[in-house]
Amino acid sequence: MTAGGAAGRAGDVARRATIREVAEAAGVSRSTASRALTGQGYVAPQVRDRVRAVADGLGYVPDATARHLRRQASQSIGVLLSDLANPFYAGLAAGISQQARKRQYTMMLADDGGSAGVEAEAAETFVALRVAGVIVTPVSAHLASYLARQRIPVVEVDRQFSAGACDAVLVDNGSAAQKVTTQLIESGHRRIALVIDEMHWTTGRDRLAGYRAAFGAAGLPLDESLVVSAGWDVEAARVEIRKLLGRAEPPTALFAANNVLAEAAFRTAAELGLAIPGQLSLVSFDDVPWMSMVTPGVTAVRQDTAALGEAAVSQLIERIQSPLAPVRTVLLSASIVTRGSTAPPA
Amino acid sequence: MTAGGAAGRAGDVARRATIREVAEAAGVSRSTASRALTGQGYVAPQVRDRVRAVADGLGYVPDATARHLRRQASQSIGVLLSDLANPFYAGLAAGISQQARKRQYTMMLADDGGSAGVEAEAAETFVALRVAGVIVTPVSAHLASYLARQRIPVVEVDRQFSAGACDAVLVDNGSAAQKVTTQLIESGHRRIALVIDEMHWTTGRDRLAGYRAAFGAAGLPLDESLVVSAGWDVEAARVEIRKLLGRAEPPTALFAANNVLAEAAFRTAAELGLAIPGQLSLVSFDDVPWMSMVTPGVTAVRQDTAALGEAAVSQLIERIQSPLAPVRTVLLSASIVTRGSTAPPA
DNA sequence: CCTCCATATGGGATCGATCCCACATCGGCG
DNA sequence: CGCCGATGTGGGATCGATCCCATATGGAGG
């Protein structure tokens, strides 16, 4: 097929096959070809086989956008995360993508970098694409309400901004935080600092509540000055932590509310020459790879990110299939991985 | 508008607005509405403003699938990676997603887990969605040739299976490997092991070539038994590394060809009680977060994953715009981050 | 023999946006 | 005054697949 001739003209080479071409090549109508390929409706068995053989031969792949337009139902879900370079979100993405593939959905992924503005843009893009539903680690309540108005199901993951208005898949932050704080208390710690990102998010709020509950349950007073809100800026967080650890009466243990803060705390401790766990016990909410590589390893609350992502996809698909079912919040429990960074205070 | 009446019936609430509804509400035809909204063709300025105001009021968002179908041109790119949970791929995904957003493209992401079968399925999905192009970290040559037949541009990233047949964006593996090996040689190492994943991939092949070249340039003989192919299975790799380090005449330095092997080497050294860098110097190709957290830090070849992803998007868009331009391979250079894991041999 | 139903097939409309083209209007200019 | 090009508008076709419906055929049953 390399020689010239009319068919060899550059530019007019092999356009992608459409169902019409499959039908013509098989000597049937578009309708029959469609039934043969989708398996919906009556087709004579031998015609079905012939059409399918012809389609294979032509390398026919149905146009999903055309099908979507006609059926008014998409097989794509939108996924919006805060920071793919953070292993927490990357793990989430991995879980979502696995489960989506299993359920025959494709995934449109965007990263909003934690910005509400980008989040809003992404929401509009998802509407334009007419996705079947959206999974989001929200940074505002806007997305869920906007998409609700457009009748697009939303599942909030990790944290919740629209409780009662849309489904959510969360980690049981309160219980996990309480449990890990209780362990520190039981091993003798009293001055336990909590370094937290943002207390208005449900993650921060619930982790703080668990921490408080641990003191309450132990009947111990809580030194409010040991609760430090460090925000999202890494540099600013390190400054806060340095101040905290440099106090006249420093904490004997530090509970970092996320993996970024744990890294800041770990580095700062090293910088100040504080031995872990000798002079400072360290606990992290969220377990990421480096915590098991360093010596001593960092005790951490392990959130199963893959399971979180899978649960989010399952919940979203249920919602797509039953738009009127009652709103649901799924809570996944977290486990504690005890490593060398925690020990009784000196 | 909360009171009952015919419009208040449950179920028939606010369908999504179409351009036809915008046109009717603005008192013009679909054609005029389309011109007003897209800015293509003649429209009277006051009509344009009125149509846009009406569209805003109705919360109109054009259906991207319908537009795509009609224009026969999509604004989505397909992205296929091997393992989102690995920080290398996660960083790549982050870079791609940033750049795609900047260029007004949306991203369909899939994870093939390193399986050629899943890769082939994903390729078909991308064809079905009629994406404008595909970025892939390939595991076989099939994807690129299949998509080429479908006239869908492909950019291979990180490694190359279809040299000459499609564009690629790669790291200059040879130079980086040679440079880092030369550093080891210059600091006095002679028995330098190379633990590599797979020598048939361009990554492995080129890193091996760089390693060899370093010995050649130094005029030193190379002990072939120190080149170990460990494959992709982590457990098997650890067994290989354990054997390697347990030899009668063990290497004084180990060069791990990727971050997973570096982790295996690091853990195995600890397990065997080998001091780093005292008894073994360690170097990794690919720098991931834990390498800067451990003590001593691990000397590593740093690949800028974000830049790699961004370059891939740029190359893909150029290809989309100029389908006939000559095939291009972009090489990004890597830098060496020297940390405490390397020192002259004892 | 005629009716009826299950099976089988094709034509036309449809989804939403775009775009070609026909047609209308208006101002300028010879 | 009439012609022409620039401007503005709407109708219909189109992208590819699906699906409703009309029509056709064959065998079973009254």
Side-chain angles (χ1 to χ4, degrees):
Chain A
M1 303 290 180
T2 48
R9 280 273 176 276
D12 70 344
V13 274
R15 283 210 9 73
R16 230 189 313 266
T18 69
I19 201 173
R20 169 163 246 129
E21 283 150 8
V22 172
E24 280 170 14
V28 297
S29 69
R30 286 163 304 134
S31 311
T32 302
S34 174
R35 283 188 301 261
L37 294 169
T38 61
Q40 306 277 332
Y42 292 118
V43 211
Q46 70 179 39
V47 172
R48 177 168 50 68
D49 296 343
R50 177 160 42 100
V51 171
R52 290 187 178 177
V54 168
D56 269 4
L58 292 176
Y60 171 70
V61 179
D63 185 327
T65 56
R67 171 181 292 163
H68 165 208
L69 179 60
R70 172 65 233 238
R71 288 204 176 143
Q72 294 291 84
S74 147
Q75 285 293 315
S76 297
I77 60 178
V79 177
L80 184 56
L81 305 175
S82 299
D83 179 14
L84 271 174
N86 181 321
F88 173 76
Y89 295 103
L92 204 53
I96 292 171
S97 119
Q98 288 307 312
Q99 189 68 4
R101 193 168 63 78
K102 253 186 225 153
R103 306 296 212 90
Q104 310 260 60
Y105 277 82
T106 56
M107 158 171 140
M108 306 275 343
L109 181 69
D111 181 328
D112 61 29
S115 145
V118 178
E119 185 187 68
E121 275 175 42
E124 189 161 331
T125 302
F126 289 149
V127 172
L129 292 165
R130 303 297 193 258
V131 295
V134 169
I135 293 175
V136 62
T137 53
V139 295
S140 82
H142 170 261
L143 183 132
S145 69
Y146 173 65
L147 292 178
R149 243 174 293 137
Q150 301 276 347
R151 322 267 156 224
I152 297 180
V154 174
V155 173
E156 292 186 332
V157 182
D158 180 52
R159 51 203 182 241
Q160 193 169 26
F161 276 81
S162 312
C166 75
D167 300 319
V169 176
L170 311 173
V171 165
D172 188 349
N173 290 298
S175 303
Q178 177 169 359
K179 199 152 73 176
V180 80
T181 307
T182 299
Q183 282 190 5
L184 288 172
I185 291 174
E186 284 175 351
S187 77
H189 290 278
R190 290 298 175 270
R191 300 190 54 71
I192 304 171
L194 174 65
V195 181
I196 207 161
D197 35 47
E198 157 70 82
M199 307 203 313
H200 299 295
W201 287 19
T202 56
T203 36
R205 188 194 68 196
D206 295 349
R207 288 168 198 177
L208 172 58
Y211 165 86
R212 276 190 206 288
F215 277 89
L220 291 172
L222 179 60
D223 179 350
E224 292 290 343
S225 78
L226 290 175
V227 177
V228 175
S229 183
W232 298 108
D233 180 66
V234 178
E235 275 318 305
R238 289 183 73 166
V239 170
E240 286 298 325
I241 292 170
R242 209 170 293 129
K243 275 197 285 187
L244 175 70
L245 297 180
R247 289 188 191 175
E249 209 181 7
T252 60
L254 190 158
F255 179 10
N258 68 41
N259 75 55
V260 175
L261 293 174
E263 177 174 335
F266 187 86
R267 296 200 123 112
T268 305
E271 211 177 276
L272 298 179
L274 287 172
I276 294 178
Q279 295 165 277
L280 179 72
S281 284
L282 179 62
V283 168
S284 164
F285 205 110
D286 193 20
D287 184 22
V288 294
W290 66 264
M291 296 178 185
S292 68
M293 300 297 297
V294 297
T295 315
V298 177
T299 295
V301 175
R302 177 167 154 64
Q303 316 183 69
D304 187 338
T305 51
L308 207 58
E310 286 167 19
V313 172
S314 298
Q315 178 57 43
L316 183 60
I317 293 178
E318 277 182 47
R319 171 65 49 202
I320 291 167
Q321 287 163 355
S322 318
L324 301 177
V327 169
R328 172 142 56 132
T329 295
V330 177
L331 268 197
L332 270 59
S333 62
S335 55
I336 296 176
V337 182
T338 301
R339 301 199 180 94
S341 70
T342 44
Chain B
M1 306 289 183
T2 50
R9 281 272 174 278
D12 69 344
V13 273
R15 286 214 1 75
R16 228 189 315 265
T18 69
I19 201 173
R20 168 164 247 128
E21 283 150 9
V22 172
E24 280 170 12
V28 296
S29 70
R30 286 162 305 132
S31 310
T32 302
S34 174
R35 281 189 302 262
L37 294 169
T38 60
Q40 306 278 332
Y42 292 117
V43 212
Q46 68 180 36
V47 173
R48 177 169 51 69
D49 295 345
R50 176 158 43 100
V51 171
R52 290 189 177 176
V54 167
D56 269 4
L58 292 177
Y60 171 72
V61 179
D63 184 327
T65 58
R67 170 180 292 165
H68 166 206
L69 179 60
R70 171 67 233 237
R71 288 201 176 148
Q72 294 292 84
S74 146
Q75 284 292 315
S76 297
I77 61 179
V79 177
L80 184 57
L81 305 176
S82 299
D83 179 13
L84 271 175
N86 181 321
F88 173 76
Y89 296 104
L92 205 51
I96 293 171
S97 119
Q98 287 308 310
Q99 190 68 4
R101 193 167 64 77
K102 253 187 224 152
R103 306 296 212 88
Q104 310 262 61
Y105 276 81
T106 56
M107 158 170 140
M108 305 270 347
L109 182 70
D111 182 329
D112 61 31
S115 146
V118 178
E119 184 186 68
E121 275 175 42
E124 190 160 332
T125 303
F126 289 149
V127 173
L129 292 163
R130 304 294 193 261
V131 294
V134 170
I135 292 174
V136 62
T137 54
V139 296
S140 83
H142 170 262
L143 183 131
S145 69
Y146 173 65
L147 292 178
R149 243 174 293 137
Q150 302 278 347
R151 321 264 158 229
I152 296 180
V154 175
V155 173
E156 292 186 332
V157 182
D158 180 53
R159 50 200 182 245
Q160 192 169 29
F161 275 80
S162 311
C166 74
D167 300 319
V169 175
L170 310 172
V171 165
D172 187 349
N173 290 297
S175 302
Q178 177 169 357
K179 199 153 72 175
V180 81
T181 306
T182 299
Q183 283 191 3
L184 288 171
I185 291 174
E186 285 177 350
S187 76
H189 291 278
R190 289 298 176 269
R191 301 189 54 72
I192 303 171
L194 174 64
V195 181
I196 208 161
D197 34 49
E198 157 73 78
M199 305 201 314
H200 299 297
W201 287 19
T202 55
T203 36
R205 188 194 68 197
D206 295 349
R207 288 168 198 177
L208 172 58
Y211 164 87
R212 276 191 206 288
F215 278 89
L220 291 171
L222 179 60
D223 180 348
E224 292 292 342
S225 78
L226 290 176
V227 176
V228 175
S229 182
W232 298 108
D233 179 65
V234 177
E235 274 318 306
R238 290 183 73 165
V239 170
E240 286 298 325
I241 292 169
R242 210 171 292 129
K243 275 198 285 187
L244 176 71
L245 297 179
R247 290 188 190 174
E249 209 183 5
T252 60
L254 190 159
F255 179 8
N258 69 40
N259 74 57
V260 175
L261 293 173
E263 177 173 335
F266 187 85
R267 296 201 123 110
T268 304
E271 212 177 277
L272 298 178
L274 286 173
I276 292 178
Q279 295 166 278
L280 181 72
S281 285
L282 179 62
V283 168
S284 164
F285 205 110
D286 194 20
D287 183 23
V288 295
W290 68 262
M291 297 179 183
S292 67
M293 302 295 298
V294 298
T295 315
V298 178
T299 295
V301 175
R302 178 166 154 63
Q303 314 183 71
D304 187 337
T305 51
L308 208 57
E310 287 166 18
V313 172
S314 298
Q315 179 56 43
L316 182 60
I317 293 178
E318 276 183 47
R319 172 64 50 204
I320 291 168
Q321 287 164 353
S322 319
L324 301 178
V327 169
R328 173 145 52 140
T329 295
V330 177
L331 268 196
L332 270 60
S333 62
S335 55
I336 296 175
V337 182
T338 302
R339 301 198 180 94
S341 70
T342 44

